[in-house]
Amino acid sequence: MASTSSAAARTRTRIQTAALAVGAVFVLVGILGFIPGITSDYDTMSFAGHHSEAKLLGIFQVSILHNIVHLLFGAAAFVLAKTVSGARMYLIAGGAIYLVLWLYGLIVGQDSSANFVPLNTADDWLHLVLGLGMIGLGLALSPKSVRR
């Protein structure tokens, strides 16, 4: 099996590697969100809603739902990055989702019951950077079409 996994690593494209790396970061963030000390005010974490005062790294407001979404988003990368088209879709569509989340965070008040994820200002701006970065990776690393 070692030769199979090393063969897969040799044939993995840059866009697949990027999608896997992004996915690994999401899984890591999802796990870290459940660790007291790395997540401050851990005892105030709620399942969902803006009432959770737990903050990953003392900056990013998180909830159980927020952490689960990160884990699932990361897992999606592991599934989709098996193909070049899947990796591209993960990065571009995922980036678009994060841009929508950025807009959602700007429009919905932090104390609103509609803020169910929850999101704070740091989350909002991180979502902008993630969205632009993921779309940029998806476009920049996509295979170029060959002109004849």
Side-chain angles (χ1 to χ4, degrees):
M1 285 220 187
S3 63
T4 304
S5 63
S6 61
R10 283 192 297 265
T11 60
R12 190 176 299 137
T13 64
R14 294 184 320 152
I15 195 165
Q16 288 172 292
T17 301
L20 287 171
V22 169
V25 170
F26 277 112
V27 168
L28 178 64
V29 166
I31 292 168
L32 292 175
F34 287 115
I35 300 176
I38 294 173
T39 298
S40 62
D41 299 319
Y42 187 82
D43 58 327
T44 68
M45 186 182 300
S46 60
F47 180 78
H50 66 279
H51 302 294
S52 180
E53 292 299 321
K55 291 189 175 130
L56 179 62
L57 304 174
I59 301 169
F60 304 103
Q61 191 173 5
V62 293
S63 66
I64 294 169
L65 177 62
H66 203 153
N67 292 333
I68 290 170
V69 168
H70 286 140
L71 291 168
L72 293 174
F73 207 78
F78 299 140
V79 172
L80 292 170
K82 290 179 181 179
T83 66
V84 170
S85 61
R88 183 175 191 271
M89 182 182 73
Y90 174 78
L91 291 169
I92 294 173
I97 289 168
Y98 271 92
L99 290 179
V100 168
L101 277 173
W102 170 64
L103 290 172
Y104 178 81
L106 294 179
I107 295 168
V108 174
Q110 290 181 10
D111 293 327
S112 168
S113 60
N115 186 7
F116 65 94
V117 177
L119 304 170
N120 64 9
T121 303
D123 288 307
D124 294 339
W125 294 106
L126 179 60
H127 291 159
L128 172 64
V129 170
L130 282 170
L132 294 175
M134 289 176 72
I135 291 170
L137 283 171
L139 295 175
L141 299 177
S142 290
K144 309 291 185 246
S145 57
V146 178
R147 292 185 178 202
R148 294 181 186 220

